[in-house]
Amino acid sequence: MNILGFESSCDETGVAIVNTEQGLLAHAVHSQIDMHKAYGGVVPELASRDHIRRVLPLTYDVLKNASLTIEDIDAVAFTAGPGLSGALLVTASVAQAFAWSHDLPTIPIHHLEGHLLSPMLSPEVPEFPFVALLVSGGHTQLMRVDAVGQYELLGETLDDAAGEAFDKSAKLMGLPYPGGPHLAKLAQGGDPNRFQLPRPLKHSPNLDFSFSGLKTAVLTTLRKLEKEGEVSAQDYSDLAAATETAIVDVLGYKSIKAMKQSGLKRLVVAGGVGANIHLRSFLEKQMAKLGGEVFFPPLALCTDNGAMIAHAASERVKAGLVDLTERNYSTRIRTRWDLAEI
């Protein structure tokens, strides 16, 4: 069956079609980075309005690229949460209206489940069970995944997420939005050992994270440099390298700790920060030492996209978790939603 999937939880509009047997047929994403750049972050009202403008043209493009028509769609999936309320409402409304007008079932999907299962869109598909490191936007979590829909929270951030630590630190350094990729690029020419930044909760007995202290340390370091004189380009590069190294160190250490505690040999990394080259390299080396494997989604699917939503819906259908005879066109969006609840 062909599943049409929609994603608009924040600042990307994504549409995709996944066939339950053939996999991903086509997908398209529009990023709002250029629009929000002038404000230094996502403006929810502007995000919602842009989703409205983009969703139907993207849908037509995806149908064309998949060589399908509207009549070929068998079910419609959409992100029901978590995310920005106005943004979520756009594709939730479009998806449910589309399904109602064609008497199709709807499949509401948890945004993080989409990320969690996105590495299964790679050529090498991880088998269950596995440990997953979710590092997406405002979320940093370690999950044990025994099957589709069977998720156990192992640890999560107590304050800022890793992505927020990247973006907020980058903003302190005067880098443009979104800061994470710019900070990683700046770090390439820096010395990660020049500044000793903290690794909050790295050696705590649990698997929780904390990154707010790191952001504060970056600010303190910058102020100290400013008092000593003009901050040079090399100063910024060194601080960026130290920041990236601290974040990767904590994420990597906790992930390997989770692997050892669980006794599992497969680690899945998903979400925007999963595109970080240093994090990928660190985890690949550490998992090799453990005799295990690490899986990542394709780089193009690390950020929010419709493919992960349509794919998650496909996996839920194949797992028998969706009643395709039900017609529910009044599903509410949820700005906050614990993944363990689904």
Side-chain angles (χ1 to χ4, degrees), residues 7-317:
E7 154 64 24
S8 66
S9 62
C10 190
D11 59 345
E12 275 101 11
T13 315
V15 183
I17 298 174
V18 166
N19 181 277
T20 51
E21 299 299 326
Q22 301 173 27
L24 180 62
L25 301 183
H27 83 103
V29 179
H30 174 77
S31 172
Q32 300 175 357
I33 285 177
D34 290 340
M35 182 178 68
H36 296 296
K37 189 180 296 183
Y39 305 96
V42 177
V43 181
E45 179 64 21
L46 294 180
S48 302
R49 293 184 182 188
D50 197 63
H51 288 312
I52 293 172
R53 287 192 292 267
R54 307 293 179 178
V55 62
L56 291 182
L58 287 175
T59 302
Y60 296 137
D61 287 345
V62 166
L63 286 166
K64 180 180 179 180
N65 292 336
S67 298
L68 298 175
T69 67
I70 291 176
E71 285 68 31
D72 294 316
I73 301 302
D74 302 299
V76 185
F78 62 94
T79 303
L84 302 175
S85 58
L88 287 167
L89 280 169
V90 175
T91 52
S93 300
V94 169
Q96 291 179 97
F98 181 99
W100 173 82
S101 65
H102 293 81
D103 190 30
L104 299 175
T106 56
I107 308 173
I109 295 296
H110 193 293
H111 178 78
L112 293 184
E113 183 177 40
H115 278 300
L116 183 72
L117 301 178
S118 62
M120 299 175 73
L121 289 165
S122 298
E124 296 183 13
V125 179
E127 295 181 2
F128 299 110
F130 56 78
V131 170
L133 172 65
L134 291 174
V135 275
S136 167
H139 303 276
T140 300
Q141 297 177 328
L142 279 165
M143 307 285 297
R144 179 188 172 107
V145 181
D146 289 302
V148 176
Q150 296 182 27
Y151 313 125
E152 177 189 355
L153 179 65
L154 302 178
E156 62 183 339
T157 183
L158 303 180
D159 40 59
D160 285 352
E164 291 174 318
F166 268 113
D167 290 341
K168 291 179 179 179
S169 296
K171 189 172 183 178
L172 291 172
M173 297 178 204
L175 297 174
Y177 169 86
H182 291 285
L183 188 146
K185 184 177 181 180
L186 181 62
Q188 292 177 4
D191 177 5
N193 299 312
R194 178 182 169 190
F195 300 108
Q196 299 303 310
L197 299 179
R199 272 70 165 164
L201 295 185
K202 177 180 176 179
H203 297 290
S204 64
N206 54 40
L207 294 172
D208 289 332
F209 301 89
S210 172
F211 292 102
S212 62
L214 175 61
K215 175 194 63 182
T216 302
V218 170
L219 176 60
T220 301
T221 302
L222 277 172
R223 286 178 174 172
K224 182 179 179 181
L225 287 171
E226 290 168 353
K227 287 183 179 180
E228 295 174 352
E230 184 177 352
V231 183
S232 68
Q234 190 60 51
D235 291 335
Y236 282 119
S237 291
D238 292 344
L239 184 55
T243 303
E244 180 183 48
T245 299
I247 295 172
V248 168
D249 189 21
V250 173
L251 291 174
Y253 184 88
K254 290 280 186 172
S255 297
I256 298 304
K257 185 176 181 178
M259 299 305 301
K260 293 177 179 179
Q261 289 185 0
S262 68
L264 300 179
K265 293 297 182 179
R266 287 178 289 274
L267 173 67
V268 163
V269 183
V273 180
N276 184 275
I277 301 301
H278 291 288
L279 178 62
R280 288 187 171 221
S281 176
F282 180 92
L283 291 175
E284 285 171 348
K285 292 177 181 177
Q286 293 302 313
M287 286 301 296
K289 292 179 180 179
L290 289 178
E293 298 176 278
V294 59
F295 299 85
F296 304 92
L299 284 174
L301 299 180
C302 283
T303 55
D304 296 348
N305 60 84
M308 69 182 193
I309 301 304
H311 172 71
S314 174
E315 292 300 312
R316 293 186 73 82
V317 167

